[in-house]
Amino acid sequence: MPLRKNSFKVIISIILGIAAAALLFSGCAQTVVQKNGRLQVIGTQLCNERGEPVQLKGMSFMDIAWFGDYANPECFKWLRDDWGCTVIRAALYTVGDGRFRASDEEDDMIKAVQAAIDTGLYVIIDWHILYDGNPMEYKAEAISFFKDMAALYKDTPNVLYEICNEPNGDEVTWSGVIKPYAEEVITEIRKIDQYNVILVGTPHWSQFVDVPAADPLDFDNIMYVNHFYTGTHGSDVRNRIDNALQAGLPVFISEWGATEAEQNTGTWVFPVETFTWLDFINERGLSWANWSITIRKEPSAALKHIAASEGGWDLGDLTESGLLVRSLIRGQDTSLVLFADSFETENYSAGRWDMQDATINHDEASEGYAAALLKKQSTLTKTFSTKALKNIRLQFTYKTEGFSAGDYIDIEWFDGNNWQQLKKLEASSGWSEHTLSLPQQADNNARFQLRFVAGFSGQAASASIDEVELIMDRLN
Ligand code: IDC
């Protein structure tokens, strides 16, 4: 009897084990692909297989060849479950390191697509032309690549093809170059895969999305691509999107950034302009992918270099862009954590602190392996526009050592003209966590700053600050 009971138990646990493994990547609920099946384009609208409108939201990878480590099922699962992504764009640069290289990297694409299939996400196979602004330059390679992809994925509803990221250059006109290129490539794809949606780049780095209206493509399930960067592009580009839609062109935003298009290091994110843009595209039900999942040190990178390739990121692993975009994908208007830093990245620009005599403490940390260290006369300052934001909360943890009577840390904020005191912190021998609410004058303030100031009488005193977050709500 005990034996039978045990083998019964073993069988049950094997069955449960298999079921658990199957559920790990699909999750309990239906995935977006299970729910919607094969996509189709009806009028200007992306629809599911029942003809109901769908809006996909998600992240573009910067380069699956360089950052392919992150294109794995665990990472995609995190992007799906924590961020709410329904689409991943796998960018494969045609030219990189000064040479044509896409054909060598088909395996990276296949791996990325498989990770999306395993996690039930839609995935865009992006032929990422950029330096090679004329798609005709590697047309033969593009055709061979997309024939391979179509043969592999013709029966896979997860897949969308993007055949030329950003055509650019004066001679690269719609009717003269891009349309003839698209006709050839689409014809070859359609011989193999008759249904999966195909995205077509438009002139001038995919900003002139209305230009094809005068001379559209004659295929089904085609969408025209628009790209924008909220720190660079404004109402001109939005008007072109509206013109395109009014002329009956389906539009897909396969890449947008909450930063400037050029990856300059001035202002990193543009929350106000980003809200304006995202309201605009969400009102029109347009699908989108944000640039980008990468740990590269650049404003549009969503991840700091400490972010593990398997996901599981805490907010301190995300850059300002990553934090803002995550909240947008999740559809959050309140309790937005728009800045989170735990100093693991030292002077890595993602934290962008102004540290006057403050340093990094590697011996003490509330979590991780580093914190900011204040000594006599040091300050730690963060500048962060709160435009279009309200109810600013500051969260942090701190610990002191060697304080004499009268030593303190001042927390101050800048109202645009003067520094105001928020709180005076006393000695604390253990880590002590705080959330402080800022007064209303801190709302909607383009010149907002925040600082920790060491009010220490001698060199013996020090304070460590860690896990700093700024939390806020949208104003409107
Ligand atoms: C940028 C990357 C950057 C890289 C550069 C060239 O962020 O790390 O050095 O490409 O490879 C685009 C392009 C996209 C750009 C992005 C940001 O589609 O490839 O990525 N951008 O500059 N169009 C407008 C902006």
Side-chain angles (χ1 to χ4, degrees):
M1 270 315 254
L3 201 80
R4 268 188 59 197
K5 219 176 177 177
N6 272 343
S7 46
F8 180 69
K9 266 191 187 162
V10 168
I11 291 166
I12 292 291
S13 58
I14 289 173
I15 291 172
L16 286 178
I18 293 170
L23 282 176
L24 172 67
F25 292 131
S26 60
C28 293
Q30 276 194 315
T31 67
V32 66
V33 176
Q34 283 167 342
K35 258 187 246 160
N36 294 289
R38 207 189 268 281
L39 301 172
Q40 56 177 323
V41 181
I42 302 176
T44 59
Q45 183 62 53
L46 183 65
C47 294
N48 65 17
E49 68 183 17
R50 294 180 299 280
E52 299 153 353
V54 283
Q55 185 191 16
L56 304 179
K57 297 179 185 176
M59 292 302 294
S60 178
F61 271 63
M62 190 232 137
D63 182 333
I64 50 149
W66 290 348
F67 298 101
D69 287 0
Y70 288 74
N72 63 66
E74 290 78 13
C75 179
F76 282 23
K77 183 176 184 292
W78 186 259
L79 287 168
R80 181 191 71 186
D81 298 343
D82 184 63
W83 288 49
C85 289
T86 47
V87 64
I88 297 291
R89 178 178 187 241
L92 183 62
Y93 278 80
T94 44
V95 172
D97 302 327
R99 63 180 179 93
F100 176 79
R101 62 170 170 84
S103 308
D104 307 341
E105 287 155 0
E106 266 187 49
D107 285 349
D108 295 309
M109 182 59 81
I110 292 168
K111 192 181 139 231
V113 174
Q114 191 56 49
I117 295 170
D118 291 346
T119 49
L121 290 167
Y122 288 102
V123 60
I124 300 170
I125 298 179
D126 165 31
W127 184 253
H128 201 84
I129 66 165
L130 185 63
Y131 299 113
D132 43 336
N134 187 334
M136 287 292 191
E137 200 176 333
Y138 298 110
K139 184 190 73 185
E141 291 82 352
I143 288 174
S144 140
F145 172 78
F146 281 109
K147 279 167 107 171
D148 290 350
M149 294 298 118
L152 285 170
Y153 303 121
K154 62 179 171 16
D155 298 319
T156 305
N158 307 63
V159 166
L160 297 87
Y161 307 103
E162 181 170 1
I163 61 173
C164 48
N165 167 51
E166 291 187 355
N168 62 81
D170 289 344
E171 77 293 355
V172 185
T173 59
W174 173 255
S175 295
V177 178
I178 307 168
K179 186 185 177 197
Y181 165 84
E183 283 174 326
E184 281 193 67
V185 176
I186 295 169
T187 301
E188 294 301 327
I189 295 175
R190 285 292 180 245
K191 283 182 193 164
I192 306 167
D193 179 341
Q194 272 130 52
Y195 301 106
N196 278 329
V197 170
I198 300 177
L199 310 178
V200 185
T202 57
H204 201 72
W205 292 276
S206 288
Q207 280 154 45
F208 290 180
V209 69
D210 53 340
V211 168
D215 187 13
L217 288 160
D218 189 17
F219 296 92
D220 291 335
N221 292 343
I222 301 295
M223 301 185 87
Y224 298 85
V225 165
N226 165 266
H227 288 174
F228 62 84
Y229 281 74
T230 62
T232 306
H233 306 120
S235 54
D236 296 2
V237 178
R238 286 196 286 275
N239 289 340
R240 286 185 181 275
I241 294 174
D242 271 343
N243 293 341
L245 292 170
Q246 272 148 29
L249 300 184
V251 175
F252 195 109
I253 315 287
S254 62
E255 179 184 313
W256 71 272
T259 64
E260 290 172 343
E262 298 298 327
Q263 299 292 301
N264 296 329
T265 45
T267 304
W268 275 40
V269 275
F270 292 78
V272 189
E273 293 78 1
T274 301
F275 291 143
T276 304
W277 260 109
L278 268 279
D279 288 349
F280 174 90
I281 63 172
N282 288 336
E283 275 161 20
R284 285 154 184 75
L286 304 180
S287 292
W288 52 262
N290 172 265
W291 189 261
S292 69
I293 290 294
T294 180
I295 54 166
R296 233 175 168 202
K297 188 174 170 180
E298 60 184 15
S300 63
L303 307 177
K304 296 180 193 166
H305 69 79
I306 49 170
S309 59
E310 304 80 31
W313 310 313
D314 61 34
L315 298 179
D317 290 331
L318 309 183
T319 62
E320 291 171 38
S321 178
L323 289 165
L324 177 61
V325 172
R326 174 177 173 272
S327 70
L328 290 164
I329 298 175
R330 290 159 61 104
Q332 245 176 283
D333 275 347
T334 56
S335 297
L336 311 172
V337 180
L338 292 186
F339 175 77
D341 198 29
S342 47
F343 302 95
E344 311 300 323
T345 52
E346 301 203 24
N347 58 0
Y348 182 70
S349 338
R352 298 192 304 121
W353 291 98
D354 181 11
M355 296 176 120
Q356 295 295 324
D357 295 324
T359 53
I360 299 291
N361 188 351
H362 289 286
D363 304 325
E364 278 288 3
S366 74
E367 271 178 45
Y369 52 83
L373 184 67
L374 298 182
K375 291 280 218 177
K376 192 179 177 200
Q377 287 185 331
S378 55
T379 57
L380 183 66
T381 308
K382 175 72 198 163
T383 302
F384 194 103
S385 166
T386 62
K387 266 274 179 228
L389 295 158
K390 64 175 181 186
N391 303 334
I392 321 299
R393 283 91 84 194
L394 165 69
Q395 193 177 299
F396 63 95
T397 169
Y398 83 104
K399 181 180 176 182
T400 62
E401 250 175 76
F403 265 37
S404 323
D407 286 351
Y408 60 89
I409 305 163
D410 230 357
I411 303 187
E412 299 176 342
W413 65 281
F414 191 66
D415 65 9
N417 297 307
N418 300 300
W419 286 98
Q420 308 285 351
Q421 191 182 53
L422 183 65
K423 190 168 171 94
K424 215 169 184 171
L425 301 173
E426 310 289 333
S428 169
S429 55
W431 286 101
S432 126
E433 202 178 303
H434 295 262
T435 304
L436 306 175
S437 291
L438 281 112
Q440 224 182 357
Q441 297 91 292
D443 295 355
N444 200 23
N445 188 335
R447 301 182 63 202
F448 177 76
Q449 293 183 55
L450 182 93
R451 71 182 182 192
F452 296 87
V453 183
F456 309 158
S457 51
Q459 295 296 347
S462 71
S464 297
I465 315 264
D466 209 354
E467 315 294 324
V468 183
E469 294 189 0
L470 281 171
I471 306 155
M472 31 204 128
D473 304 331
R474 259 191 85 170
L475 195 58
N476 303 307

